[in-house]
Amino acid sequence: SPFASAAVFARQPGRLEAKVNRITFDYPSLPPLAFVRFCMRYPQDCKVREMATRSELEPLTKMRRAELAKVNREVNRAIMPHENGQDVSADEWLVSPREGDCKDYAVTKRHKLLERGWPTRSLLLAEVVIASGEHHLVLIVRTREDDLVLDNLSEYVHPVSHASYRWVRAQQPINPKFWSAINVASSARLAMDAR
């Protein structure tokens, strides 16, 4: 299953714990220049859409899982891959273009999930480096159960622990206009009582 859990269970007396991999936010980072232009073009996609005091993550229900898989699949099929031949200073991120590169896929997925009511704190654009050494943009979806990756290079939505990226930077959950350097860290979480 594309949503197979990345949890590793460790037995403790009377309890079952799950190891969950989460994005961790290090020091502040400048956002990509093209992101700043994107926010000027699509200001609704760059503002906080929920009350700042509400910080809990959304539960990953069966319906939410299906929604993520559908959006990932539909956007991956709707945009024809087209390598951006321009330099970084002329790069432009567009929502729902006919053809585009990884940035267009990622912002389109985020846009569609925002339209479906997902909070901004759960939908983070993230810059990574893939095996070829190229910089690449993906969408991280943070849920109560796991942090997930939507990537135009994969038809599946998968946990961040299954991604073979070098993590660079991502939007901060508290305000999508701010970015931070990121890593993936493992933490133990009480899953259930094993009695």
Side-chain angles (χ1 to χ4, degrees):
S1 161
F3 286 100
S5 175
V8 175
F9 292 98
R11 180 87 169 130
Q12 290 192 350
R15 298 194 183 267
L16 195 56
E17 276 191 358
K19 292 222 186 261
V20 177
N21 292 307
R22 291 273 184 204
I23 295 292
T24 60
F25 300 86
D26 297 332
Y27 51 87
S29 173
L30 289 173
L33 179 58
F35 173 75
V36 175
R37 285 196 298 271
F38 173 80
C39 287
M40 291 187 323
R41 185 175 194 155
Y42 303 99
Q44 289 300 108
D45 281 30
C46 295
K47 71 178 202 173
V48 177
R49 295 194 180 194
E50 64 276 335
M51 292 176 52
T53 57
R54 186 169 172 231
S55 61
E56 65 274 0
L57 294 169
E58 300 293 308
L60 186 60
T61 63
K62 193 178 265 191
M63 189 173 90
R64 288 292 204 185
R65 286 177 193 256
E67 190 171 51
L68 292 177
K70 182 179 183 190
V71 167
N72 191 60
R73 184 177 54 253
E74 286 178 355
V75 172
N76 284 355
R77 291 178 182 165
I79 300 174
M80 293 293 299
H82 178 68
E83 197 62 37
N84 182 359
Q86 302 173 351
D87 66 20
V88 175
S89 65
D91 196 15
E92 203 174 2
W93 300 2
L94 302 172
V95 171
S96 300
R98 282 190 47 221
E99 48 182 47
D101 63 13
C102 62
K103 282 90 77 184
D104 304 311
Y105 288 93
V107 297
T108 300
K109 290 172 189 181
R110 186 173 185 276
H111 179 84
K112 291 190 176 295
L113 290 169
L114 286 170
E115 285 182 332
R116 291 170 179 251
W118 283 78
T120 54
R121 72 178 169 280
S122 294
L123 305 173
L124 308 177
L125 298 170
E127 181 184 351
V128 299
V129 177
I130 57 176
S132 67
E134 291 176 78
H135 283 251
H136 182 63
L137 197 70
V138 297
L139 178 64
I140 302 294
V141 178
R142 304 194 83 209
T143 69
R144 191 179 301 161
E145 292 73 20
D146 218 342
D147 289 348
L148 305 167
V149 178
L150 280 70
D151 188 345
N152 66 296
L153 300 179
S154 175
E155 64 182 291
Y156 299 112
V157 175
H158 51 85
V160 294
S161 60
H162 291 189
S164 56
Y165 309 130
R166 183 168 54 84
W167 300 94
V168 179
R169 59 185 165 175
Q171 292 176 293
Q172 293 181 3
I174 197 159
N175 188 331
K177 290 182 183 175
F178 298 111
W179 288 58
S180 289
I182 57 168
N183 280 300
V184 173
S186 181
S187 63
R189 175 182 72 196
L190 180 63
M192 66 177 77
D193 204 336
R195 283 186 250 154

